[in-house]
Amino acid sequence: MHHFEYRDGALHAEDVPLSTIADTVGTPFYCYSSATLVRHYRVFAKAFEGQKALICYAVKANSNQAVIRTLAQEGAGADVVSEGELRRALAAGVPAERIVFSGVGKTRAEMAAALDAGIHQFNVESEPELDALSEVAVSKGVEAPVAMRVNPDVDPRTHEKISTGKKENKFGVPWSRARDIYARAAGLSGIRVVGVDVHIGSQLTDLGPFREAFSRVVDLVAMLRGEGHDIRRLDLGGGLGIPYEAGDAPPPHPDHYAALVRELTQPLDCEIILEPGRLIAGNAGVLVSRVIYVKEGESRRFVILDAAMNDLLRPSLYDAYHEIIPLNQPTDDQRAPVDVVGPVCETGDVFAKARPMPPLAAGDYVAILSAGAYGAVMASAYNSRPLVPEVLVRGSDYAVIRPRPSVADLIAQDRLPPWLENRA
Ligand code: LLP
């Protein structure tokens, strides 16, 4: 469910015609719907009502201050994976005690920043990381609350680049070593073992892999408690998928996901931590672009947009499907296959191949849907294309929440060394 729909033939974000924003802000731009962000958060939170659950929005999905604050106002915590994300979450108003810190390569400086802030939990992924955290915590005279992220060796049945819970993936500690590592952690000063963490992948569209992974983790908690560890928290990661393609079977509803969590974890009486990212932000955002040219190739027609792979990388990187629709609602069902591409000098700069599309002409606006998660955050300035602006809509209001930098801004980021300063 989202709040991008045609009204009187014009695609709106809530009560604002997207073409109005396009005319004032220029294209390309990302546009997010507050109502959709809030709705998704509430649906997810409601599903977990009655369970001791802390919902930590995975900031990596969309880390704009306005997006994080919108969710923080709803009571969301944050899952962060860098000092940058930690600072963004704090600056947006997420209380430190609702922040968990994930990731395989936290530096000592990042650990220090998180300890100073007083975060809820570190999700630790290796023994060397545990040793480093122990040292940093001891040097500060504090204790770090720790959950070990375990690798349950479960196939999440998603794209291989976003699978994280198989033993060949870099994530988590090996299942067979978990018991020993917990024993070691318990003896380390500066470390307070509080939980177990697992995250098996992203864009999961069926509950089976979750069931498999969570069942294993529940058994592990029972075993660890038997060994004397005071395990009170269970962090189950994120990963619940969203619909990208109209007509696809919808992924499981959060209610069913929450029911599964309840069924498996209730006997443990743990605090449950959840880290949804895509589910909250994915369908709350679109990328609006303009057709620059329509070009007739030898064997196919190319629709060349002013947005490109540097703005939205998912189709190029994961062959991801994103719906593309014109801002002006087509008046009939006429469709012909076209390749929708960007202007970047790479063959992989393709948003859609042989996609049946209504007639499009130079100057027409289109919206690339489901681009709210892993869109703007993964953008780059490749080909010296400045990052595109982000706009947030709420009802009939909209605001630019990250302005478009100028090319002069881009150039000004570079510095000439002394020996190149003179033009001659
Ligand atoms: N927790 C951890 C530890 C994670 O690594 C991730 C995502 C999440 C939570 C949030 O997962 P979500 O609920 O959003 O599925 N760029 C890729 C997705 C990468 C996901 C990385 N980790 C894409 O565009 O599909």
Side-chain angles (χ1 to χ4, degrees):
M1 223 307 268
H2 58 72
H3 296 77
F4 298 94
E5 55 181 26
Y6 289 113
R7 288 192 200 165
D8 298 327
L11 190 65
H12 281 58
E14 303 187 27
D15 299 332
V16 184
L18 282 165
S19 60
T20 303
I21 306 178
D23 291 341
T24 45
V25 174
T27 55
F29 65 92
Y30 278 99
C31 179
Y32 311 127
S33 152
S34 303
T36 311
L37 288 167
V38 167
R39 187 194 139 83
H40 287 165
Y41 180 79
R42 288 186 185 165
V43 166
F44 196 81
K46 187 155 187 301
F48 282 91
E49 240 170 37
Q51 303 191 52
K52 263 191 296 175
L54 174 63
I55 299 169
C56 295
Y57 165 63
V59 166
K60 65 166 78 67
N62 186 319
S63 55
N64 189 290
Q65 283 292 286
V67 170
I68 305 175
R69 179 161 299 184
T70 299
L71 296 168
Q73 285 180 348
E74 290 293 310
D79 165 47
V80 302
V81 293
S82 68
E83 183 175 348
E85 286 192 355
L86 169 67
R87 295 205 184 281
R88 276 182 183 274
L90 292 168
V94 181
E97 60 273 15
R98 288 200 207 131
I99 296 179
V100 298
F101 197 159
S102 303
V104 289
K106 302 173 201 77
T107 64
R108 284 173 160 78
E110 289 180 315
M111 292 167 176
L115 285 170
D116 289 345
I119 65 163
H120 189 56
Q121 178 170 303
F122 290 84
N123 291 333
V124 172
E125 302 215 16
S126 67
E127 287 174 271
E129 187 194 338
L130 196 56
D131 292 338
L133 183 56
S134 160
E135 275 169 37
V136 178
V138 167
S139 75
K140 290 183 173 293
V142 296
E143 278 198 324
V146 164
M148 293 305 300
R149 175 167 173 181
V150 291
N151 183 321
D153 192 22
V154 165
D155 182 355
R157 303 202 280 275
T158 183
H159 192 283
E160 65 156 326
K161 287 201 169 97
I162 51 175
S163 294
T164 56
K166 291 197 282 183
K167 63 175 187 288
E168 59 270 31
N169 303 138
K170 69 179 174 183
F171 300 97
V173 299
W175 194 260
S176 57
R177 301 259 312 118
R179 183 181 184 177
D180 290 349
I181 294 174
Y182 268 90
R184 238 191 108 215
L188 281 178
S189 10
I191 300 289
R192 182 162 45 93
V193 173
V194 294
V196 177
D197 170 45
V198 68
H199 170 80
I200 57 171
S202 193
Q203 185 54 16
L204 271 69
T205 51
D206 112 56
L207 290 180
F210 285 123
R211 175 178 286 280
E212 236 182 290
F214 298 167
S215 309
R216 295 203 77 182
V217 168
V218 165
D219 291 346
L220 179 70
V221 171
M223 189 272 278
L224 292 172
R225 282 182 172 170
E227 307 252 297
H229 300 285
D230 187 16
I231 306 291
R232 289 179 235 168
R233 303 179 191 164
L234 201 47
D235 185 332
L236 299 175
L240 191 55
I242 63 166
Y244 278 98
E245 194 166 348
D248 267 6
H253 190 275
D255 284 348
H256 297 135
Y257 173 76
L260 172 72
V261 171
R262 182 196 303 270
E263 173 201 325
L264 297 175
T265 67
Q266 202 163 27
L268 296 175
D269 192 31
C270 278
E271 175 191 59
I272 305 297
I273 299 173
L274 302 142
E275 304 170 351
R278 189 191 311 265
L279 181 99
I280 308 285
N283 283 322
V286 299
L287 174 61
V288 177
S289 179
R290 194 170 51 88
V291 177
I292 309 178
Y293 299 115
V294 177
K295 164 171 161 171
E296 301 298 336
E298 197 71 62
S299 58
R300 45 180 76 203
R301 176 177 295 167
F302 299 99
V303 172
I304 304 172
L305 301 183
D306 64 358
M309 63 188 287
N310 69 297
D311 305 311
L312 176 66
L313 187 57
R314 303 194 70 259
S316 300
L317 191 58
Y318 314 114
D319 292 318
Y321 183 98
H322 284 260
E323 268 196 67
I324 304 173
I325 59 174
L327 295 201
N328 284 330
Q329 187 169 24
T331 45
D332 56 30
D333 281 345
Q334 213 188 317
R335 297 273 188 282
V338 294
D339 284 10
V340 183
V341 302
V344 158
C345 303
E346 295 214 21
T347 306
D349 183 23
V350 176
F351 289 117
K353 264 209 172 113
R355 174 84 56 90
M357 292 287 292
L360 286 168
D364 287 350
Y365 291 133
V366 297
I368 305 179
L369 306 186
S370 314
Y374 307 112
V377 284
M378 291 177 71
S380 75
Y382 184 39
N383 278 206
S384 287
R385 297 165 44 84
L387 292 182
V388 306
E390 295 174 274
V391 174
L392 182 65
V393 169
R394 195 189 64 165
S396 54
D397 289 337
Y398 72 90
V400 173
I401 56 172
R402 190 183 68 192
R404 190 190 308 276
S406 67
V407 172
D409 293 334
L410 267 190
I411 296 172
Q413 288 176 347
D414 296 352
R415 296 287 179 275
L416 286 173
W419 64 90
L420 291 177
E421 265 171 8
N422 294 331
R423 276 173 170 273

